[in-house]
Structures are given as C-alpha cells and as structure tokens.
Amino acid sequence: LVTRDTLVWAASLPSWKAAQQVQELATSFGTDMPPPALPAGAQQQALDAKAAKYLVGGTWHVQQDMGSGYTAEISVSYGENGSFSGSITYQGQGMSRGVPLMGTWSVKGISETRFSLTTKDANGANTALVEIVDPNTCRDPTTGNLSRRSFDY
C-alpha cells in the first residue's frame, strides 16, 4: 500500500521523496489534499471579509457596568455598507437616559475567531478586540463583556 507519505525513489529523482511530492504519483491521491495557503494579502482580505460578514444581520446587545451603580445597555446594528446605528441607554440611581448611536465601522481580521472592530462617530473613533464565541455571541476579551445578537423581525 502506497500512501501520500510513503517514501518512493526512481532513477529520475535525486533522493527519496514522499509519494505526494512526485508529480507522476500526486494525482493518484485525489483532491482531498489541503489547498495551498493564500498569499498574505489575500489571507488578510479573507479574514476581514469573514469578520465583516459575522457582524452584519440582526441587532447586537451588550450591558456594561459603568461603576457607581450605573449600567449602559448598548444595542447596535451593523450595515453591509459600513454604517452602524443603535442606541446606548444609561441607567442608575433612579434615572435612565438614552442616546442615539450612528456612524461607520470597519474590521481587521486577526484570526479565524478574533478581529478588531473600529467604530467612528461624531465623538471620534473607538477600537475594540472581539472574540467570536458562537454565531450569535461574541465577547470583548479585555473586559469579558458578552454581546448577543437578536433578530427582531
């Protein structure tokens, strides 16, 4: 039995080689070999596209402890066109105040499960590290805050 990793030799080869490295034999092993790695630029584009696709759709919700008995509840939707909209509601000590959110967003893929998210609005830019937990949950590894997606149809 000859496998991909079986060492083979022929008079035309300078030394022993794995069967999968010999052109005449490589096609005998089918197409289940992993594809070649993407070039660096294409790999980054693929990670960026995956992160962007992950964010679009539904509304993301997160609650943050602001200290001194105050919380902030944030709800945001990310559009395919790079815009976002939503609201942040501050609550505590018997008061509640809502503030609209809108601006633009972009992502930079770091790995298959992590990316940085940059949002820009009238108050400036903010960048956060995001870790994908599951298709509808992500977290900020620096704070531990979880964001969950809802679909309000």
Side-chain angles (χ1 to χ4, degrees):
L1 176 67
V2 176
T3 68
R4 285 180 164 69
D5 298 319
T6 302
L7 293 177
V8 297
W9 180 83
S12 61
L13 297 175
S15 63
W16 291 86
K17 292 202 177 265
Q20 67 185 348
Q21 295 176 326
V22 177
Q23 185 175 4
E24 295 86 356
L25 299 174
T27 57
S28 342
F29 298 110
T31 59
D32 60 338
M33 292 178 65
L38 291 171
Q43 189 173 25
Q44 185 62 58
Q45 287 176 340
L47 288 173
D48 294 351
K50 180 180 179 179
K53 184 177 179 182
Y54 177 78
L55 283 178
V56 173
T59 303
W60 290 93
H61 306 276
V62 63
Q63 185 171 11
Q64 295 179 337
D65 181 358
M66 305 300 287
S68 300
Y70 289 92
T71 60
E73 293 183 23
I74 304 166
S75 298
V76 180
S77 296
Y78 298 95
E80 289 180 10
N81 63 355
S83 67
F84 73 88
S85 63
S87 65
I88 182 168
T89 303
Y90 298 99
Q91 296 178 337
Q93 299 185 1
M95 69 132 219
S96 178
R97 183 175 141 236
V99 177
L101 297 172
M102 66 178 80
T104 60
W105 65 275
S106 62
V107 292
K108 177 114 175 127
I110 298 169
S111 71
E112 289 292 318
T113 58
R114 283 187 174 213
F115 58 92
S116 64
L117 168 63
T118 300
T119 56
K120 295 179 184 174
D121 62 17
N123 297 315
N126 182 43
T127 299
L129 183 61
V130 178
E131 182 175 63
I132 297 171
V133 175
D134 64 38
N136 294 307
T137 309
C138 61
R139 74 179 192 96
D140 179 338
T142 58
T143 64
N145 288 333
L146 289 175
S147 295
R148 292 190 169 84
R149 180 187 350 231
S150 67
F151 295 94
D152 307 319
Y153 296 108

